[in-house]
Amino acid sequence: MIRQEFSRADPKRRTALDPKKRQFAPATFQNVEYKHRLNFYVTPPTADITLEQFEQWAIDRLRVLAEIEACSFRNKNLTETAAHMKPLLDKYLPLTSSTSNSAATQIERQKDHYSHFILRLAFASTEDLRRRFSRAETTLFRIRFQDNDSRERQKFVEGLNLDLEIVSDEERREYAEELRAAGGGFPKRIEEESYYKVDWEKVPELIEHRRVFLKGGKAYVPGREQLSMVIAEFTNKLDKALETTSRALPRLDEDDRLSPILTHLSQNFTTPDANYSSSSTSLPGADISARNIDTLSSSFPLCMQNLHRSLRRDAHLKHFGRLQYSLFLKGIGLNLEECLVFWRGAFNKITDDTFNKEYRYNVRHVYGDVGGDSNRRGNGYSPFSCQKILTEHPPGPGEAHGCPYRHFSIDNLTALLQQVGVKDHEVLKGVKEDKEKQKFHLACNRVFEYAHKQEIKKVRDDGTWGAAQLETIVHPNEYFKRSYLLKNLGKNPTDGGGDVKMED
């Protein structure tokens, strides 16, 4: 006899989806029409994008947020930050106005929408990352709000439904003196200004600076202070959303496509990574030769100056030191033949036979002259970025590679900085504070700005360089290029005359 098993579940009831299992239901994707340039990022995006877009959009936004944070650590006010960020926003995260009728408007706003939510995933894991992300995003929103067309801005605010209660004419007259006092005597005629009543918790900035009248738990906010109300609402919503996102993160651990990308992005908020490009860091015509490395080393970042000084002192570097330094020299334009000449001359305590047997092959491999097919096709390895130097292969005893700002004790770091000419007490104090806060790239940029303060002032004053050409340095080879160009202002690397202009 064949037994048949029957389900006791009613077939008609199986079509009803268990609410606990709704998260596994087929997702519904839809494209969003972006009516406004500004965005409160309330609704998560649902349309398909590629993994390449996912990562590149996030990296572009990360560059913007990291630079905003750098402006904060340099104590730039909002006006200075906005001016500094404008070319960077135009480059990495442009947002044209609705009146421009640009075909790229929706694509730009989609990138802005998606990149925010991608980084929200990346930075929701810890309280420190959430706080820093919220602060940088709030500053970005504030810059955009103030830069927005007034009519577009008003339409956006009207669509927010901020639950603002308009203060009646009777109340304005009743509290006219208090309202005028809170406004510093402005307006002289109280009927010239509109006022809103909001819960006092929503406008902490205005209360802190005593710019509103408080009564019965309500803040009487003048219309001219609309920005503070909108900013407070933006920050409040974002902070709550980040808390919610942090609780949902464990569900993403099983996705082996996204988790590595998100981890990489969150690590890079300490020091944003930089894609190396030989064309963007090259100096055609400059004397990049073995005989000139000692002279050029004055323009090297501290990590490479430390390697160079150690090499000259000991006539030797261990493996990772040779690798880090060889890749850097390759990146500044030292060709293979000259690099071999340089290393042979530097290793002056060994014989030619020892050098050829133990070291020559490694230098050729770095340049892609020998090794696997993929290595040769790619012309060898790329120079290490600051992020890679900071996070991979920390130096051990007798090793000189790595980042001095991270891997040195504060006493050894201070001594090295003084040896290379940084003796200003305030600069050294600032570097110490940056190191304590683990802002290693800001310490490096602080030293760069001190060493080139006169040249930087000149190119800013005469408009030769814009903010995009003076953004935070995140690659040793970019440090060298920028230093070389600043130190050789007015000289052409080819013939010693003419202007030197930095590439974007």
Side-chain angles (χ1 to χ4, degrees), residues 345-443:
F347 279 35
N348 54 33
K349 295 180 180 179
I350 61 174
T351 65
D352 286 344
D353 186 57
T354 300
F355 179 81
N356 290 334
K357 285 182 178 179
E358 298 184 15
Y359 302 106
R360 185 180 183 87
Y361 182 90
N362 289 337
V363 176
R364 293 177 62 202
H365 188 263
V366 162
Y367 277 77
D369 191 50
V370 293
D373 290 340
S374 60
N375 183 49
R376 289 199 295 271
R377 284 197 300 269
N379 296 315
Y381 302 102
S382 294
F384 291 167
S385 68
C386 295
Q387 179 67 18
K388 191 176 183 69
I389 293 171
L390 281 167
T391 57
E392 297 185 14
H393 307 299
E399 294 183 308
H401 66 279
C403 172
Y405 298 104
R406 175 166 191 167
H407 299 120
F408 277 29
S409 68
I410 189 61
D411 291 338
N412 288 343
L413 175 59
T414 300
L416 177 60
L417 286 169
Q418 291 174 333
Q419 289 168 19
V420 299
V422 182
K423 299 181 179 180
D424 185 275
H425 177 71
E426 289 302 314
V427 174
L428 295 173
K429 179 182 176 183
V431 168
K432 181 176 182 293
E433 293 172 352
D434 292 336
K435 178 176 173 62
E436 290 172 348
K437 296 175 182 176
Q438 298 188 342
K439 305 297 181 187
F440 309 113
H441 65 302
L442 293 182

Side-chain angles (χ1 to χ4, degrees), residues 78 81-82 85 89 139-147:
L78 186 65
T81 300
M85 293 304 302
L89 287 169
T139 301
L140 175 59
F141 181 84
R142 186 189 291 269
I143 291 171
R144 285 172 165 175
F145 189 93
Q146 291 183 317
D147 184 52

Side-chain angles (χ1 to χ4, degrees), residues 255-272:
D255 193 328
D256 56 6
R257 301 169 304 163
L258 302 185
S259 292
I261 296 175
L262 296 175
T263 300
H264 182 68
L265 290 169
S266 63
Q267 289 175 344
N268 285 350
F269 206 18
T270 301
T271 303

Side-chain angles (χ1 to χ4, degrees), residues 96 100-108:
T96 53
S100 66
N101 295 320
S102 171
T105 298
Q106 289 298 309
I107 297 174
E108 291 173 352

